[in-house]
Amino acid sequence: MAELMIIGVANLIVGGLIGLTGVAGFLLPMLYAGYLGMSVSESLVLSFCAFLISGLIGSWNYYKQKNMDVKLAVRLGIGSFIGAVMGVMLNSFIPEEKVKMLLYIVVLLSGISILVRKDKKEMEQDRENLLEKNVPTVLALGIVTGAICSLSGAGGPVLVMPLLVMLGVPVRTAVGVALFDSVFIAIPSIAGYALQIKLSSLAGPLIVSAAAHGIGVCAGSSHAEKIRQNVLKKGIAVFSIIIAIWKLFF
C-alpha cells in the first residue's frame, strides 16, 4: 500500500511538472529503479506508460493552441519509433547495473542541460528552421533520440526539445512536437519491456500511476501560464543533478 501511495504521489507531481514545463519525466524511472528497487524493465514499463499519457494529453493541448508542426512531428515520430525499437533491443544485451548507470548519467546530463539552457521568447527567435525541408536529418534525429530515450527511460521532451530549439524550431512548437514524439517512443518501449516481465504483477502500480499521471498533466497544463516556468525548471534541474550524482558516486 505504501508503495502504491508513493507511486501515485510521484506521478501526480511529475505529471503536473510535465504539464507545466514539458520536462521532469526522467525522474520516474530513477524513482522506480533507484528508490523502490524495481527491475529496470519494470521501471521502464511504468515510466513509458506514464509518458504515453502525458504525450497524448500534452501534444493535443499544444495542437489546440496552434503550437504544433504536424509534418515535422510525424516525420520525427517515425524516426523515433524505429530508434525506440532499437533501444529496447539493445537493453537486452546490456547488464542491468550498466543500464541503471546510463539512466543516472542521462538524468545528470538532462539536469545540466535544463540548468544552462536559456529560453528565448518566440518573437526573438528568427533563425531558419533547419529541419523544415530536411527529411533525412529529421528521421536521423528521431532514430538517435528514440534509441537513447527508450534505452535509458529519459522519456523524450527533455532530450528532444532543446535539440529542436537549437535547430531553429520555435520554443512552444518544440515542446508540442517533443511531447507528440514521446508517444512514438513510448509505444514500442512499453511493448518491448512488457515482454521481459510478469505484467500482472504491475497491475496495481500501472492503474495508480496512469490515473495520477493523467490528473497531474491535466492540472499542470491548465495552469502553465500562471507559474514562473523558468524558476520551476531550474529547481527540477538542481534536484536531478543532486540525485544523479548521489546515485552514481555514493
Side-chain angles (χ1 to χ4, degrees):
M1 181 61 70
E3 182 179 273
L4 290 178
M5 288 182 64
I6 293 172
I7 290 173
V9 171
N11 274 276
L12 189 65
I13 294 173
V14 171
L17 292 174
I18 291 175
L20 287 169
T21 68
V23 300
F26 57 88
L27 297 173
L28 286 179
M30 187 169 62
L31 167 74
Y32 296 139
Y35 181 72
L36 296 179
M38 295 182 178
S39 70
V40 169
S41 295
E42 290 174 331
S43 302
L44 294 180
V45 167
L46 284 173
S47 298
F48 281 112
C49 283
F51 300 154
L52 177 61
I53 292 170
S54 57
L56 289 170
I57 295 174
S59 61
W60 174 247
N61 286 338
Y62 274 84
Y63 174 77
K64 289 191 297 183
Q65 297 165 9
K66 302 187 184 304
N67 289 314
M68 175 69 71
D69 185 333
V70 177
K71 188 178 294 185
L72 172 62
V74 171
R75 290 170 177 171
L76 185 67
I78 292 171
S80 292
F81 187 92
I82 297 170
V85 172
M86 294 169 58
V88 173
M89 294 173 65
L90 283 171
N91 181 277
S92 62
F93 294 103
I94 303 175
E96 183 165 313
E97 286 305 313
K98 291 190 179 297
V99 175
K100 285 187 177 181
M101 184 171 291
L102 174 63
L103 168 62
Y104 301 141
I105 290 173
V106 170
V107 171
L108 176 62
L109 295 177
S110 298
I112 293 173
S113 71
I114 296 170
L115 199 61
V116 301
R117 185 169 64 88
K118 294 182 178 179
D119 293 327
K120 295 182 178 180
K121 294 180 180 179
E122 292 189 40
M123 64 180 61
E124 296 173 350
Q125 188 172 8
D126 55 2
R127 290 176 296 169
E128 180 185 0
N129 184 346
L130 301 178
L131 300 177
E132 191 170 356
K133 298 180 180 179
N134 200 331
V135 178
T137 300
V138 175
L139 292 174
L141 178 66
I143 290 172
V144 172
T145 54
I148 293 172
C149 291
S150 67
L151 178 59
S152 67
V158 72
L159 181 62
V160 175
M161 182 181 65
L163 292 175
L164 292 176
V165 173
M166 183 181 69
L167 292 169
V169 179
V171 176
R172 289 189 179 277
T173 303
V175 176
V177 171
L179 284 167
F180 185 73
D181 186 57
S182 65
V183 174
F184 288 82
I185 297 172
I187 292 173
S189 299
I190 293 169
Y193 291 122
L195 294 175
Q196 301 176 19
I197 63 172
K198 187 177 180 181
L199 197 56
S200 59
S201 64
L202 283 182
L206 277 170
I207 293 172
V208 171
S209 63
H213 200 81
I215 293 170
V217 172
C218 289
S221 60
S222 65
H223 293 86
E225 295 182 356
K226 302 176 183 178
I227 304 295
R228 293 182 61 187
Q229 295 191 31
N230 188 50
V231 175
L232 196 57
K233 285 183 180 180
K234 293 294 189 292
I236 295 170
V238 172
F239 176 77
S240 305
I241 291 169
I242 293 172
I243 295 297
I245 291 175
W246 175 58
K247 282 294 182 180
L248 282 169
F249 299 107
F250 299 99

